[in-house]
Amino acid sequence: MSMTSVCLLITIFFHQNITILKDSVCLDWENATINDVKCQLEQNHLLSGNAYKELLAVLGDSEIERSRIELRCDLLNKIKESNPLFFNKYFIIETNTKTDPTRSLALVVDVSDSSHLVLYTYQRLSYDWKLTEVLKDMKLRLNNDIYSKNKRGVNMGYLIVSQFEKEKVKQSKYLTGLSLNADSWVAEVLDRNETL
């Protein structure tokens, strides 16, 4: 077999894996987020007027949805590229930076080993995700209470907090502005990140 044939086979295999990743995990991730938004809209008596409008906008724009799926697939591929074993259990927190609201930020918290949590910060720079920071051996108390009860949350913009096990999406929560509980583990991760 020639070197060209080997390269061609590797390229085909690589692209098939990316397609599989896009078709399964990325679409499941998007569906989990959309289902959470729909659930929040069904309970709209709990939402402020601005939060309700924000959630409707998430559902109503197929271009935003297509862009979000592409960004997420690119992110998962970048994570897999830099860590071929991928993580066993992890969370991804999606947001924008405070200094540039058009710049995407993804905080990946590897919780596979509960005594040695690791935070990976990825920024979307020049149309590509870049790993910009790694914090090892973080101490966090992972609790499920991420929503603020009194509508005085600590996040200015949106957040999406997604939980994964292996390459399966367990849940994906969309938080509108001012809805993040200040005492949550997510707020603690955001406080520790220097990029925000």
Side-chain angles (χ1 to χ4, degrees):
M1 188 179 276
S2 73
M3 188 61 158
T4 307
S5 298
V6 171
C7 288
L8 183 60
L9 283 174
I10 290 170
T11 303
I12 290 169
F13 178 76
F14 180 72
H15 285 294
Q16 284 175 338
N17 282 345
I18 288 176
T19 303
I20 290 167
L21 187 60
K22 283 184 179 181
D23 287 347
S24 60
V25 180
C26 296
L27 293 177
D28 289 348
W29 189 3
E30 182 63 19
N31 288 335
T33 304
I34 295 298
N35 288 338
D36 179 65
V37 169
K38 287 178 180 176
C39 182
Q40 289 185 57
L41 286 170
E42 287 172 5
Q43 301 171 358
N44 65 20
H45 63 281
L46 303 174
L47 300 170
S48 69
N50 287 339
Y52 189 78
K53 288 177 191 171
E54 183 179 333
L55 290 173
L56 281 176
V58 170
L59 288 178
D61 193 331
S62 61
E63 188 58 38
I64 290 174
E65 184 178 337
R66 193 171 20 263
S67 174
R68 189 171 46 243
I69 291 171
E70 186 177 317
L71 281 172
R72 286 171 161 184
C73 286
D74 289 348
L75 173 64
L76 288 176
N77 287 324
K78 182 58 86 174
I79 293 168
K80 197 166 187 118
E81 199 177 278
S82 61
N83 187 345
L85 298 176
F86 218 56
F87 313 117
N88 223 7
K89 294 180 182 179
Y90 58 100
F91 290 88
I92 297 179
I93 303 167
E94 300 168 89
T95 189
N96 293 327
T97 63
K98 287 180 186 171
T99 55
D100 183 357
T102 63
R103 182 170 288 165
S104 298
L105 186 68
L107 307 170
V108 181
V109 183
D110 180 5
V111 297
S112 301
D113 179 351
S114 60
S115 61
H116 299 286
L117 304 182
V118 183
L119 172 64
Y120 300 85
T121 302
Y122 288 87
Q123 267 191 309
R124 181 85 174 176
L125 305 167
S126 302
Y127 305 103
D128 193 23
W129 287 103
K130 304 274 191 241
L131 178 62
T132 57
E133 183 180 14
V134 178
L135 291 174
K136 295 183 177 184
D137 293 326
M138 286 181 56
K139 301 293 182 225
L140 282 177
R141 186 178 44 88
L142 295 173
N143 56 14
N144 291 326
D145 197 16
I146 61 174
Y147 290 101
S148 174
K149 305 273 189 268
N150 58 13
K151 296 184 182 176
R152 291 190 186 135
V154 294
N155 58 315
M156 293 308 293
Y158 81 93
L159 293 171
I160 303 174
V161 180
S162 305
Q163 179 183 7
F164 296 81
E165 277 189 32
K166 302 208 175 158
E167 288 190 15
K168 300 212 182 304
V169 181
K170 301 294 282 179
Q171 64 179 340
S172 185
K173 302 289 184 186
Y174 188 100
L175 285 81
T176 59
L178 302 175
S179 62
L180 178 65
N181 180 355
D183 297 325
S184 70
W185 69 269
V186 175
E188 189 175 340
V189 167
L190 294 174
D191 284 345
R192 289 185 185 185
N193 188 276
E194 295 177 10
T195 312
L196 290 171

